Structures are given as C-alpha cells and as structure tokens.
Amino acid sequence: MSARKALVLVDVQNDFLPGGSLPVPEGDRIVPLLNRYIDLFHRAGLPIYATRDWHPEQTRHFKAYGGVWPPHCVQGTRGAEFHPDLNLPPETIIVSKGMDPNEDSYSGFQGRTPDGHTFTEALKAREIEHLYVGGVATDYCVRHTVLDARREGFQVTVLEDAIRGVDLVPGDSERALREMVEAGARIARWEDIAREIAARAEASS
Ligand code: VGL
Ligand code: ZN
C-alpha cells in the first residue's frame, strides 16, 4: 500500500504576494496552479494543510525589533489573510506559526493547529507519511518546512512549479532546492502529481 499523502500549502498570504509588505516576486502566479493541486487532493479525499505566518505586532522577527524583515502577516490584518483567489476547502487545517515574539519560526513544524497540536502530532494522528509541498517562499518557509519534514521522517515531494522564492541573494532559491534534494526530498511537477494522485484515487474507489 502506498504512503498516505497530504498537500501542504506554505504561507500563501497577501503580504507575501505582489501588493503585500514582503512580496515574493511573481508569487501570485502560482495561485491558479495551487488551486489545481487543491482540487486534485480534495477530490482524492486527501487532507490539505495551509501554514500561515501569524506574527504579533512586536516581534524580534521584524526590523524595528532587531530582525531583518519589514512588518508582515500581523495577526488579524488583511496582509495575514490567505490570498483571496486561493480556493481552500472548509476542511483545510490551518497551521499558525511565528506567534512567539522571540522566534522567526520559518518552519510549519514550529506551528500549531487550531486545537493546539504541533504539525507533527496532527500529521501522525492521521497517519500521514508523505507531504506534497507548495507555496512561498522557496528560500525561507518552504525550505525550512521541507527540511524539518525530512528530519521528522516524512517523505516529501516539492511541487517545483508551485513555489516561488525571495532571492534576497540571487540564487538563494536554487540553492534551497538543492539543499532540499540533498535532504532526501523529491522534486516533481503537475504532470507527475496529477498521474500519481489520480491513480491512487481510482485504486481506492
Ligand atoms: C517568510 C520571511 C519572513 C516565509 C516568513 O513565509 O517564507 N519569509 N517570514
Ligand atoms: Zn515572518
């Protein structure tokens, strides 16, 4: 039997997309494809997790308090909302991170579900073994989430066509991808995944 799968959408929030306070260039271009992935997994009956950066107004993560970033994704603001075109089904499980004013928390594995469980606990409770990861930013939250997922023992497929990076230093996203592969993540695209997930759905129906 194949590993139980889940889709993980990383930080597809207004502030990380063009028009936001910390925009990932072309970050909005991945939204239509993310919606296709969402539809694919949802139809196959597979769970969908959406991580979100969820900062207090004052945090060491922000420039004004010793960090490197402009304010972004402050709890309850429009910038912290998921992109309005992202079609998240109501069953989507939200994983919030970055609430601790002393921590950056780039990784979804530093986050909590609404009932207070860690991401790992939530995934284990559903016997999920394989994560399919898309979103932003390739060189920050996607990277940290994927590396932590590998450390926690999950299989990981990075949706190469559904991620975008910041590239504060040119080449950061490419280096991040290489690092994820070295950590054992697999890189794939829509063509591969559509076949894989559709085949699974038929086999189990
Ligand atoms: C992120 C920078 C600061 C991310 C979060 O979601 O990749 N990047 N906070
Ligand atoms: Zn942040």
Side-chain angles (χ1 to χ4, degrees):
M1 217 192 78
S2 64
R4 184 156 159 81
K5 302 164 167 69
L7 179 64
V8 179
L9 308 167
V10 176
D11 297 10
V12 188
Q13 295 165 275
N14 289 323
D15 271 343
F16 291 131
L17 302 171
S21 66
L22 184 43
V24 175
E26 302 188 345
D28 52 339
R29 298 231 193 139
I30 63 173
V31 172
L33 185 54
L34 286 172
N35 283 333
R36 293 177 73 188
Y37 282 116
I38 289 169
D39 191 52
L40 182 71
F41 277 74
H42 193 55
R43 282 166 188 264
L46 298 172
I48 297 167
Y49 294 84
T51 73
R52 66 178 180 186
D53 226 19
W54 195 243
H55 297 304
E57 270 176 44
Q58 300 184 10
T59 161
R60 287 197 203 172
H61 184 62
F62 294 166
K63 231 176 257 167
Y65 309 97
V68 294
W69 306 108
H72 61 273
C73 300
V74 172
Q75 294 165 13
T77 63
R78 215 191 91 76
E81 287 171 17
F82 293 113
H83 189 282
D85 295 342
L86 192 69
N87 297 327
L88 292 175
E91 301 91 333
T92 303
I93 298 145
I94 295 173
V95 179
S96 303
K97 64 190 174 60
M99 294 83 84
D100 185 332
N102 295 308
E103 273 188 16
D104 287 308
S105 298
Y106 294 117
S107 166
F109 286 88
Q110 289 168 286
R112 298 271 166 177
T113 58
D115 54 8
H117 291 112
T118 65
F119 193 19
T120 298
E121 286 167 352
L123 293 168
K124 295 237 154 115
R126 287 196 175 201
E127 301 182 330
I128 290 159
E129 299 166 291
H130 189 159
L131 307 180
Y132 290 73
V133 182
V136 293
T138 308
D139 35 355
Y140 290 93
C141 289
V142 171
R143 169 174 173 262
H144 281 88
T145 301
V146 166
L147 295 179
D148 275 352
R150 291 295 302 143
R151 271 180 218 118
E152 297 280 333
F154 295 97
Q155 297 174 45
V156 181
T157 295
V158 179
L159 307 173
E160 190 187 14
D161 46 7
I163 55 175
R164 284 291 186 283
V166 182
D167 288 313
L168 229 44
V169 176
D172 275 356
S173 293
E174 256 175 60
R175 278 187 290 276
L177 262 183
R178 220 174 303 137
E179 201 182 351
M180 293 186 256
V181 169
E182 276 160 21
R186 158 205 185 216
I187 309 288
R189 308 178 67 82
W190 172 258
E191 295 73 26
D192 313 310
I193 308 303
R195 204 177 313 124
E196 202 167 299
I197 300 298
R200 181 209 174 274
E202 275 160 32
S204 66
S205 64

